[in-house]
Amino acid sequence: MKKRIGIIGNERSTYDKKDQHTYYFSYTPRDFVQGFIRAEGLPIILPVGVVEDTVDYIQLIDVLVLAGGQDIDPKYFHQQRHPRLGEVFEARDEFELALIKEAVKQGKSIVGVCRGMQVINVAFGGTLYQDVSLTPYTLKHVQSPISLEQPTHDVTIKQRSLLSQFLPSTYKVNSYHHQFVDKVANHFEVTATASDGAIEAIESKFFGNTIVGVQWHPEQSCHTNPLDQEFFNYIVQHL
Ligand SMILES: [Mn+2]
């Protein structure tokens, strides 16, 4: 059997003027699906479900992937909501935190992208900056309107890290985040840093399984950049 990659979905709605009806969708960006198919994995989209089903969901998969999306409710790192906090999605927070806990119990690897890295950090006791305005960082970390296919800032990759298995020691990544890891969770190490000091990747092997999170979006550039496709290849081949 191919490696089963469970990607946690998101929800969105569209209002159809003709029907005068709002339609709700569970989805994940197609780029994740395609990245894992190219890597010869078996992507499976997990909808935002109910916490009591987390044991069953984790049994279905080999690797848990947390994708990008809304901001995490800061109550999970014991802070009040800052005025610059973006949209939050409570059911997703709760479900993802439960899936992470269960994945650790069952010894399944965990991968986070953007919000996904931040959720991992919070799940293990770290904190976030709720907005870039609260940080000392000076690079442009929301690169729009520049397409995410195009990398815009450098990161330094730590030697002997998981990321260093397929990325060079200095690597240019895309950037689309207004929140940042602040205090890093215990037993995690920072394995990529932007030149302004922003934390761009974290990893841990402490909990028995492999856990890795990146702040950039390899799924948005893996179609055109082979090194970003390597992110998916590595997950399927080694996690
Ligand atoms: Mn960045």
Side-chain angles (χ1 to χ4, degrees):
M1 165 138 11
K2 288 181 173 176
K3 193 159 284 180
R4 300 163 302 170
I5 312 290
I7 308 158
I8 300 183
N10 197 357
E11 291 178 7
R12 69 189 302 172
S13 61
T14 55
Y15 181 72
D16 188 314
K17 273 192 198 150
K18 218 174 73 193
D19 295 356
Q20 297 193 328
H21 187 76
T22 303
Y23 293 91
Y24 295 88
F25 301 92
S26 295
Y27 76 100
T28 200
R30 190 179 66 172
D31 315 275
F32 279 107
V33 172
Q34 292 179 333
F36 284 118
I37 287 175
R38 269 196 303 275
E40 296 183 21
L42 187 71
I44 300 167
I45 304 173
L46 309 179
V48 175
V50 291
V51 167
E52 66 190 60
D53 291 337
T54 49
V55 174
D56 291 345
Y57 276 119
I58 294 299
Q59 280 174 352
L60 287 176
I61 62 173
D62 299 307
V63 180
L64 176 66
V65 176
L66 301 127
Q70 299 86 345
D71 290 349
I72 302 149
D73 191 328
K75 76 178 180 190
Y76 292 110
F77 47 98
H78 313 294
Q79 288 182 11
Q80 300 293 319
R81 292 186 181 196
H82 187 273
R84 287 182 185 268
L85 180 75
E87 188 192 346
V88 297
F89 182 2
E90 259 174 70
R92 185 179 176 184
D93 288 348
E94 206 189 342
F95 188 56
E96 289 188 345
L97 291 167
L99 285 173
I100 290 170
K101 220 168 158 185
E102 184 58 31
V104 170
K105 260 193 208 164
Q106 294 189 27
K108 308 281 171 86
S109 301
I110 305 172
V111 176
V113 169
C114 197
R115 162 196 164 90
M117 170 177 108
Q118 297 170 0
V119 175
I120 288 170
N121 189 53
V122 170
F124 291 93
T127 68
L128 306 179
Y129 288 114
Q130 291 185 46
D131 184 65
V132 63
S133 57
L134 303 167
T135 75
Y137 308 139
T138 51
L139 287 171
K140 198 165 190 255
H141 289 277
V142 179
Q143 72 179 53
S144 58
I146 299 172
S147 154
L148 289 177
E149 278 179 15
Q150 202 179 311
T152 55
H153 74 65
D154 280 342
V155 292
T156 302
I157 307 285
K158 195 170 179 181
Q159 281 182 7
R160 287 180 293 279
S161 63
L162 181 152
L163 293 174
S164 75
Q165 306 302 305
F166 53 91
L167 294 180
S169 57
T170 302
Y171 187 59
K172 202 160 213 171
V173 298
N174 58 20
S175 198
Y176 194 74
H177 56 109
H178 82 110
Q179 296 200 318
F180 297 75
V181 166
D182 180 3
K183 181 185 163 287
V184 180
N186 284 342
H187 309 298
F188 276 77
E189 61 171 340
V190 174
T191 56
T193 314
S195 57
D196 59 0
I199 292 171
E200 292 273 344
I202 57 172
E203 295 178 19
S204 176
K205 289 201 166 180
F206 178 82
F207 301 94
N209 51 348
T210 297
I211 307 175
V212 57
V214 297
Q215 187 58 72
W216 61 92
H217 286 274
E219 84 282 5
Q220 294 292 333
S221 47
C222 62
H223 310 81
T224 47
N225 183 340
L227 277 183
D228 288 328
Q229 178 59 36
E230 280 302 315
F231 180 78
F232 296 88
N233 299 350
Y234 189 90
I235 291 167
V236 170
Q237 288 165 20
H238 301 283
L239 298 193

